[in-house]
Amino acid sequence: MLPDLSRRSVIALGAGLGATALTNNAFARAPKLGTQSPYFYRFKLGDAEVTVVSDGQLPLGDPAGAFLGVPKDEVAKMLADNFMSPTNVVLEQNAPIVNFGDRLVLFDTGMGASKAFGPTTGRLTKSINEAGIKPEEIDAIVCSHAHIDHIGGIVDDGGTPLFPNAQVYLAQSDFDFWTDEGKLGSPLKDFVVHARKNLMPVRDRIKFFKDGEQFLPGITAIAAPGHTVGHTMFNVESAGKSFTFMGDLSHHSVLLLERPRMEFAYDTDPKQAAATRVKLLDTIAANKTAVMSYHFAWPGLGHVVKAGDGYRYIAEPMVMQL
Ligand SMILES: [Zn+2]
């Protein structure tokens, strides 16, 4: 038989339980941690191991300032339709480090000490450290072009090389263009200052590659001019597997793929850049080549397919075991 509980004692019991629940709720006491996972991602490519490291996000701000030749409201709609901010375009900086077994090769180096795009850039050496790689282990730095967000991390703020044992590979036309002191009085001044700051201290370690040349085992240059005169993509291959490191063939996974003839304000020759983009993306899509994109969403590995008059980027799911 159930005990005959009076109404008063039931209320008292309920109040007691409530008080216990409030003071004893361990789940509610967990602190918010405010930290994020390390900024590297590793995957296998044939016999090689690839570690993508980030220099941090680079906010470009209002797309109207950078993406030209398409009405502002159309650009805003393309972004909003893809659940991206229509008022602040944010680029990643995904730099792959490929370990071929006998050689460690870093592609592009981020903004370095420059805060021209705010405080979130410049974490490349931190990301490399998080990935368990030592700067002195890097044998080669391969640069897609000599813009600040690609060569900015070759030296530290004082001009000392951050990768003391690395050869630096770059197109000669880009080296000549962006280190030209004659441009110091032009609107390109800031780019030239930063290129000189990062490239002149390692001038005797720079090697120039040519279009189509396999200048290191497993790494072939593919000229992609327009964004800069010597802008280059790289085919990276190991044991029959490959990806193309696209550099800045497209800065945005929506805008410059859906409308590949849209112009980008930082292009040296925007018309040539658009023609190059269409030609090379056609090839990449037709061959179903995997791509590593420097500026697409982290970590930048995926494929490009044809879609209407343009293209669509399909990110590859991250796989968290090797
Ligand atoms: Zn860039």
Side-chain angles (χ1 to χ4, degrees):
M1 201 176 147
L2 288 167
D4 183 18
L5 294 172
S6 72
R7 181 181 147 76
R8 186 176 296 172
S9 65
V10 169
I11 289 170
L13 179 65
L17 281 173
T20 306
L22 281 175
T23 54
N24 240 357
N25 190 344
F27 294 111
R29 282 192 200 151
K32 291 174 184 166
L33 297 174
T35 54
Q36 186 51 283
S37 52
Y39 222 155
F40 73 88
Y41 173 64
R42 200 160 269 151
F43 63 95
K44 285 205 164 140
L45 182 82
D47 292 336
E49 181 183 82
V50 184
T51 304
V52 188
V53 291
S54 175
D55 190 54
Q57 289 194 318
L58 187 160
L60 271 185
D62 186 346
F67 298 92
L68 313 174
V70 171
K72 209 177 159 175
D73 55 338
E74 281 182 41
V75 171
K77 185 177 186 314
M78 289 165 73
L79 291 167
D81 284 351
N82 286 276
F83 303 95
M84 295 172 175
S85 166
T87 55
N88 182 26
V89 171
V90 178
L91 307 182
E92 289 283 349
Q93 298 181 91
N94 310 317
I97 299 173
V98 184
N99 188 338
F100 289 94
D102 56 354
R103 187 178 284 103
L104 204 52
V105 183
L106 166 66
F107 292 80
D108 289 345
T109 63
M111 291 285 297
S114 169
K115 294 299 172 194
F117 290 96
T120 51
T121 65
R123 78 170 339 270
L124 188 86
T125 49
K126 187 179 177 196
S127 300
I128 288 174
N129 183 48
E130 287 171 349
I133 295 170
K134 295 184 177 67
E136 59 268 30
E137 294 173 339
I138 303 282
D139 299 297
I141 300 168
V142 174
C143 302
S144 61
H145 61 301
H147 272 171
I148 181 166
D149 54 324
H150 298 260
I151 50 84
I154 293 177
V155 302
D156 68 13
D157 207 19
T160 303
L162 286 165
F163 304 97
N165 298 314
Q167 300 267 6
V168 178
Y169 294 81
L170 179 69
Q172 179 159 13
S173 53
D174 242 49
F175 177 85
D176 292 345
F177 187 98
W178 294 108
T179 58
D180 174 14
E181 287 177 295
K183 294 188 181 75
L184 285 171
S186 81
L188 299 176
K189 173 177 176 269
D190 287 348
F191 286 94
V192 174
V193 166
H194 287 295
R196 290 188 61 82
K197 178 184 171 183
N198 279 278
L199 294 174
M200 298 322 278
V202 294
R203 176 64 192 92
D204 60 347
R205 290 201 237 152
I206 296 179
K207 297 197 168 184
F208 300 122
F209 47 68
K210 293 201 164 40
D211 182 23
E213 181 187 358
Q214 183 173 242
F215 57 94
L216 285 170
I219 305 176
T220 305
I222 304 164
H227 178 51
T228 64
V229 289
H231 179 255
T232 303
M233 321 192 295
F234 305 98
N235 190 62
V236 180
E237 190 267 336
S238 172
K241 301 286 183 192
S242 67
F243 64 75
T244 294
F245 178 65
M246 294 199 293
D248 283 3
L249 185 68
S250 170
H251 288 75
H252 199 276
S253 61
V254 174
L255 299 178
L256 295 177
L257 289 195
E258 281 188 19
R259 303 283 287 268
R261 296 196 181 273
M262 195 187 297
E263 296 181 4
F264 186 66
Y266 297 98
D267 288 342
T268 301
D269 183 339
K271 299 260 184 292
Q272 185 188 30
T276 293
R277 187 155 50 241
V278 170
K279 180 181 158 218
L280 293 178
L281 287 176
D282 270 349
T283 306
I284 285 169
N287 293 343
K288 301 188 191 303
T289 309
V291 296
M292 260 300 314
S293 179
Y294 191 70
H295 287 308
F296 291 1
W298 174 254
L301 181 64
H303 288 82
V304 173
V305 294
K306 287 211 76 149
D309 295 333
Y311 309 90
R312 190 159 67 90
Y313 173 65
I314 302 172
E316 195 163 303
M318 291 171 79
V319 178
M320 298 310 283
Q321 69 278 332
L322 284 173

